[in-house]
Amino acid sequence: MEASRGAALLTLVVWVLCTPALSTEGKRKLQIGVKKRVDNCPIKSRKGDVLHMHYTGKLEDGTEFDSSLTRDQPFVFSLGTGQVIKGWDQGLLGMCEGEKRKLVIPSELGYGDRGAPPKIPGGATLIFEVELLKIERRQEL
């Protein structure tokens, strides 16, 4: 009787310890690499700033799905307001004008299981090379 109770308790302890690991399995984190730093950085990007960016987006196999460089037109958006994928809203915080980063964005912070057909399949990890050209900071009232 005592042995079976001990075995049940051990099973319960193992289950409790392993459950958090199982629930986060498969979820990957955003990876941010700084490709080019700048010496003079008077302001860093923050939520609410309007950013002017150049970017190239690729899939893990190297297939390019979009680039502002081919259009010779920077992409302009407001940071942290949901205008872009979550991986960008998180991965572009604290950036300086002239800085370049490489973002590796798991699907949960990109386009998820649906993807963005036809160029981005569901569940795709996205790789972006980005350059911050300009920060427009709205003055607080």
Side-chain angles (χ1 to χ4, degrees), residues 53-113:
M53 308 285 306
H54 267 313
Y55 69 91
T56 298
K58 295 181 180 182
L59 302 175
E60 284 182 299
D61 68 3
T63 303
E64 185 176 305
F65 58 83
D66 193 17
S67 179
S68 64
L69 294 169
T70 57
R71 294 186 295 275
D72 198 29
Q73 182 76 32
F75 179 60
V76 180
F77 66 98
S78 181
L79 184 63
T81 60
Q83 292 181 3
V84 293
I85 58 174
K86 289 179 183 177
W88 270 41
D89 271 343
Q90 295 174 19
L92 303 178
L93 287 168
M95 210 169 166
C96 303
E97 289 182 348
E99 186 178 329
K100 292 183 181 182
R101 289 184 180 179
K102 179 179 181 179
L103 305 177
V104 180
I105 301 174
S107 65
E108 296 86 7
L109 299 176
Y111 294 100
D113 291 336

Side-chain angles (χ1 to χ4, degrees), residues 15 17-26:
W15 180 78
L17 291 175
C18 291
T19 300
L22 295 175
S23 66
T24 58
E25 188 177 314

